[in-house]
Amino acid sequence: KSRYQTCKAVVSTQSTGSHEWVNVQGSLGRVGITDHAQAALGDVVFVDIPEVDLDVDVGDEIASVESVKAVGDVASPIGGIVVAVNEALSDSPTLVNSSPEEDAWIAEIEISDMSALEGLMDKEAYDKFLLEG
Amino acid sequence: SSGINAEYGIQTNLSRMRNLVSRVSRPFSRICAYRQLSSINDLKKTALFDFHVEKGGKMVDFAGWALPVSYPDMSHVESHLHTRKGVSIFDVSHMLQLHIHGKDRVKFMESLIVGDVAGLSEDTGTLSLLTNENGGIIDDCIVHKSSAGFLNLVCNAGCADKDYAHIMEHLSVAQSQGSDVDVEVKPKHGLIAVQGPKTAEVLQQGISDDLSRLYFNHTTLTDVWGIPCRVTRCGYTGEDGVEISVPEDRVVELVERLTATSEDVRLAGLGARDSLRLEAGLCLYGNDIDETTTPVEGALMWTIGKRRRAARDFPGANIIMDQFAAKPKQGRRRVGLIVEKAPARPHYPVLNTEGKVIGEITSGSPSPCTGKNIAMAYVDNEYTKNGTQVQVQVRKKKYVASKVAMPFVPTQYYNPPKN
């Protein structure tokens, strides 16, 4: 089952909202951006994927997803080591639009601290959040 | 605004727009094209505002105006490509439209801009530059000489206050010296851009003037579907097209007439407008030119008429012409780049093949027509030959780029046949 995160909306020029999901299998977490995020971005033209072995803290920018007009930072909901990246996104960035929460996973991370998952929303809570803001 | 141009800013946060048909919700973007609308009530509205909202336009803040970045019927790329096949209508009513009257109007205009206004034929115009005493560019603008006895000047919305103050200051001096000249903001007129290869075919249905005789940069006062308008053959997309200055209370009517002629006529927003102008190699003030760039650096010397170059009779002329004469190996120049793999964006560093910083990107975007990532950048003069290889720093990585001649996509201006 996937868990979701998004920053709370804060009225400040410094904070940015983000919409990522993490799907956990054992100690591995696959991370990507949500359907809501890809819809807002528009046609994705480029994905900047991380390097394998990258050491990631919760909240670190691990990737960028670009459309014609916008560059979106992908903040990791979990901390750990990147053990795999989705090379398919180099050749087919539009996978993010067509399958944002399945085929367009960005990185797989060996999670160092599972307690980070506790702060995340489940799908029901996320969908509710999208409706209410 | 200095440095950070008006069009690109840092996204604030998730926010909702109330009282509007479409929901703008950008969850994240570090380089977002437009400032998120926190309150639409703070923004200026064109006469087409309600129309845009009714059509589902995604409204954003552009230079303090509420304008559509896109419409629901087409994605950015679709709208961009459509403009090069059919007809797109852009609301550009936010731009500053001025009339300059009086016997001394040409002399006055030439005291502010670099173009050969005296040399313009009646009912023609040109792109020009307002320059400052340091040789920098205050704004780019379009000037037309009307046979009705005045000059027509259109300036960027983002520079409206600055340009107006500058012009009025000079006007005051000119008048005190006895010049017969006056300037007024053209009252209560909207401005729409109608762009694309099918423009003439569509517009001809509402206009009795023979559009085949209205060449690029020519202007005429005429009725369009019975609405008294100024129609000028010019635009900001590289395509054939017109800009129509129309009474505010009839601009909706005009747009509806245009869209009713054919399914090929579609509304378009600021998103497509920007990628189209970049493909056409056209500058965006604030990004590609500003008060710190001279026309030499900006590769815009062609705007300075031969007579004006010799006379050196425009603000900053000596600095500009001396710089031009020196043809320096030092200094920088605006160039076009094609960047491999990653889109380049404003302020990304440009490096030589050895990794030394040699310049900076000023505009960049994927190009829908070419499928490549195109950009404008200022680079040190030694890197300005066609085919020169450079690198662009995109976040943590460097990507190879090549200098190319602009436009990136051939322009289609409707010029008279060469004899």
mmCIF file of all heavy atoms in Angstrom, chain B residues 3-21:
data_model
loop_
_atom_site.group_PDB
_atom_site.id
_atom_site.type_symbol
_atom_site.label_atom_id
_atom_site.label_comp_id
_atom_site.label_asym_id
_atom_site.label_seq_id
_atom_site.Cartn_x
_atom_site.Cartn_y
_atom_site.Cartn_z
ATOM 1 N N GLY B 3 16.594 42.156 -12.011
ATOM 2 C CA GLY B 3 17.155 40.838 -11.750
ATOM 3 C C GLY B 3 16.161 39.754 -12.091
ATOM 4 O O GLY B 3 16.105 39.290 -13.209
ATOM 5 N N ILE B 4 15.387 39.351 -11.157
ATOM 6 C CA ILE B 4 14.346 38.361 -11.423
ATOM 7 C C ILE B 4 13.330 39.038 -12.322
ATOM 8 O O ILE B 4 12.761 40.048 -11.977
ATOM 9 C CB ILE B 4 13.621 37.898 -10.133
ATOM 10 C CG1 ILE B 4 14.619 37.504 -9.061
ATOM 11 C CG2 ILE B 4 12.634 36.811 -10.448
ATOM 12 C CD1 ILE B 4 15.369 36.227 -9.339
ATOM 13 N N ASN B 5 13.134 38.450 -13.492
ATOM 14 C CA ASN B 5 12.220 39.102 -14.429
ATOM 15 C C ASN B 5 10.777 38.921 -13.995
ATOM 16 O O ASN B 5 10.456 38.083 -13.177
ATOM 17 C CB ASN B 5 12.425 38.495 -15.810
ATOM 18 C CG ASN B 5 12.096 37.034 -15.784
ATOM 19 O OD1 ASN B 5 10.939 36.660 -15.874
ATOM 20 N ND2 ASN B 5 13.078 36.193 -15.587
ATOM 21 N N ALA B 6 9.942 39.700 -14.585
ATOM 22 C CA ALA B 6 8.544 39.718 -14.172
ATOM 23 C C ALA B 6 7.837 38.400 -14.454
ATOM 24 O O ALA B 6 6.878 38.061 -13.797
ATOM 25 C CB ALA B 6 7.817 40.857 -14.871
ATOM 26 N N GLU B 7 8.316 37.692 -15.444
ATOM 27 C CA GLU B 7 7.551 36.538 -15.849
ATOM 28 C C GLU B 7 7.845 35.291 -15.014
ATOM 29 O O GLU B 7 7.034 34.412 -14.893
ATOM 30 C CB GLU B 7 7.805 36.244 -17.331
ATOM 31 C CG GLU B 7 7.023 35.102 -17.866
ATOM 32 C CD GLU B 7 6.519 35.290 -19.272
ATOM 33 O OE1 GLU B 7 7.331 35.487 -20.169
ATOM 34 O OE2 GLU B 7 5.311 35.222 -19.466
ATOM 35 N N TYR B 8 9.038 35.197 -14.469
ATOM 36 C CA TYR B 8 9.390 34.013 -13.689
ATOM 37 C C TYR B 8 9.562 34.391 -12.232
ATOM 38 O O TYR B 8 10.175 35.367 -11.901
ATOM 39 C CB TYR B 8 10.705 33.420 -14.213
ATOM 40 C CG TYR B 8 10.534 32.826 -15.572
ATOM 41 C CD1 TYR B 8 10.691 33.607 -16.705
ATOM 42 C CD2 TYR B 8 10.172 31.504 -15.727
ATOM 43 C CE1 TYR B 8 10.493 33.079 -17.964
ATOM 44 C CE2 TYR B 8 9.984 30.972 -16.981
ATOM 45 C CZ TYR B 8 10.142 31.766 -18.092
ATOM 46 O OH TYR B 8 9.956 31.231 -19.329
ATOM 47 N N GLY B 9 9.032 33.651 -11.415
ATOM 48 C CA GLY B 9 9.206 33.957 -10.002
ATOM 49 C C GLY B 9 9.161 32.679 -9.213
ATOM 50 O O GLY B 9 8.935 31.619 -9.742
ATOM 51 N N ILE B 10 9.416 32.742 -7.969
ATOM 52 C CA ILE B 10 9.378 31.552 -7.127
ATOM 53 C C ILE B 10 7.941 31.319 -6.701
ATOM 54 O O ILE B 10 7.275 32.200 -6.197
ATOM 55 C CB ILE B 10 10.271 31.735 -5.881
ATOM 56 C CG1 ILE B 10 11.675 32.183 -6.274
ATOM 57 C CG2 ILE B 10 10.296 30.457 -5.070
ATOM 58 C CD1 ILE B 10 12.419 31.202 -7.124
ATOM 59 N N GLN B 11 7.494 30.136 -6.913
ATOM 60 C CA GLN B 11 6.144 29.786 -6.514
ATOM 61 C C GLN B 11 5.973 29.947 -5.028
ATOM 62 O O GLN B 11 6.850 29.629 -4.243
ATOM 63 C CB GLN B 11 5.887 28.335 -6.904
ATOM 64 C CG GLN B 11 4.831 27.663 -6.091
ATOM 65 C CD GLN B 11 3.832 26.940 -6.915
ATOM 66 O OE1 GLN B 11 3.872 26.977 -8.125
ATOM 67 N NE2 GLN B 11 2.904 26.287 -6.278
ATOM 68 N N THR B 12 4.859 30.467 -4.602
ATOM 69 C CA THR B 12 4.644 30.666 -3.179
ATOM 70 C C THR B 12 4.209 29.367 -2.512
ATOM 71 O O THR B 12 4.931 28.799 -1.736
ATOM 72 C CB THR B 12 3.594 31.747 -2.916
ATOM 73 O OG1 THR B 12 2.422 31.421 -3.657
ATOM 74 C CG2 THR B 12 4.107 33.100 -3.352
ATOM 75 N N ASN B 13 3.068 28.888 -2.782
ATOM 76 C CA ASN B 13 2.594 27.695 -2.079
ATOM 77 C C ASN B 13 1.335 27.169 -2.746
ATOM 78 O O ASN B 13 0.844 27.734 -3.711
ATOM 79 C CB ASN B 13 2.312 28.013 -0.620
ATOM 80 C CG ASN B 13 1.393 29.211 -0.512
ATOM 81 O OD1 ASN B 13 0.537 29.406 -1.349
ATOM 82 N ND2 ASN B 13 1.591 30.015 0.485
ATOM 83 N N LEU B 14 0.840 26.112 -2.195
ATOM 84 C CA LEU B 14 -0.461 25.611 -2.616
ATOM 85 C C LEU B 14 -1.487 26.661 -2.247
ATOM 86 O O LEU B 14 -1.540 27.108 -1.128
ATOM 87 C CB LEU B 14 -0.808 24.368 -1.801
ATOM 88 C CG LEU B 14 -0.731 22.995 -2.437
ATOM 89 C CD1 LEU B 14 -1.168 21.972 -1.407
ATOM 90 C CD2 LEU B 14 -1.621 22.894 -3.641
ATOM 91 N N SER B 15 -2.295 27.075 -3.191
ATOM 92 C CA SER B 15 -3.352 27.989 -2.771
ATOM 93 C C SER B 15 -4.555 27.768 -3.667
ATOM 94 O O SER B 15 -4.430 27.249 -4.759
ATOM 95 C CB SER B 15 -2.891 29.437 -2.835
ATOM 96 O OG SER B 15 -2.739 29.848 -4.158
ATOM 97 N N ARG B 16 -5.667 28.144 -3.202
ATOM 98 C CA ARG B 16 -6.851 27.966 -4.027
ATOM 99 C C ARG B 16 -7.336 29.302 -4.516
ATOM 100 O O ARG B 16 -7.150 30.320 -3.876
ATOM 101 C CB ARG B 16 -7.953 27.288 -3.207
ATOM 102 C CG ARG B 16 -7.724 25.801 -3.122
ATOM 103 C CD ARG B 16 -8.361 25.216 -1.924
ATOM 104 N NE ARG B 16 -7.996 25.898 -0.704
ATOM 105 C CZ ARG B 16 -8.762 25.857 0.380
ATOM 106 N NH1 ARG B 16 -9.892 25.194 0.378
ATOM 107 N NH2 ARG B 16 -8.389 26.482 1.462
ATOM 108 N N MET B 17 -7.942 29.307 -5.666
ATOM 109 C CA MET B 17 -8.487 30.522 -6.211
ATOM 110 C C MET B 17 -9.980 30.482 -6.047
ATOM 111 O O MET B 17 -10.627 29.556 -6.472
ATOM 112 C CB MET B 17 -8.120 30.641 -7.675
ATOM 113 C CG MET B 17 -6.618 30.587 -7.832
ATOM 114 S SD MET B 17 -6.066 31.463 -9.258
ATOM 115 C CE MET B 17 -7.250 30.966 -10.425
ATOM 116 N N ARG B 18 -10.488 31.459 -5.409
ATOM 117 C CA ARG B 18 -11.919 31.489 -5.210
ATOM 118 C C ARG B 18 -12.592 32.241 -6.345
ATOM 119 O O ARG B 18 -11.987 33.002 -7.040
ATOM 120 C CB ARG B 18 -12.224 32.179 -3.869
ATOM 121 C CG ARG B 18 -11.487 31.471 -2.756
ATOM 122 C CD ARG B 18 -11.737 32.104 -1.397
ATOM 123 N NE ARG B 18 -10.669 31.736 -0.484
ATOM 124 C CZ ARG B 18 -10.569 30.556 0.122
ATOM 125 N NH1 ARG B 18 -11.485 29.640 -0.085
ATOM 126 N NH2 ARG B 18 -9.567 30.279 0.930
ATOM 127 N N ASN B 19 -13.842 32.012 -6.511
ATOM 128 C CA ASN B 19 -14.662 32.743 -7.477
ATOM 129 C C ASN B 19 -14.226 32.576 -8.916
ATOM 130 O O ASN B 19 -14.520 33.416 -9.744
ATOM 131 C CB ASN B 19 -14.688 34.254 -7.163
ATOM 132 C CG ASN B 19 -15.096 34.497 -5.737
ATOM 133 O OD1 ASN B 19 -15.986 33.830 -5.240
ATOM 134 N ND2 ASN B 19 -14.437 35.406 -5.078
ATOM 135 N N LEU B 20 -13.508 31.518 -9.204
ATOM 136 C CA LEU B 20 -13.109 31.304 -10.585
ATOM 137 C C LEU B 20 -13.512 29.927 -11.047
ATOM 138 O O LEU B 20 -13.587 28.999 -10.258
ATOM 139 C CB LEU B 20 -11.597 31.452 -10.740
ATOM 140 C CG LEU B 20 -11.087 32.874 -10.576
ATOM 141 C CD1 LEU B 20 -9.593 32.876 -10.603
ATOM 142 C CD2 LEU B 20 -11.625 33.775 -11.650
ATOM 143 N N VAL B 21 -13.733 29.790 -12.312
ATOM 144 C CA VAL B 21 -14.192 28.518 -12.844
ATOM 145 C C VAL B 21 -13.108 27.449 -12.745
ATOM 146 O O VAL B 21 -13.351 26.334 -12.361
ATOM 147 C CB VAL B 21 -14.626 28.684 -14.319
ATOM 148 C CG1 VAL B 21 -14.908 27.350 -14.964
ATOM 149 C CG2 VAL B 21 -15.841 29.581 -14.393
#
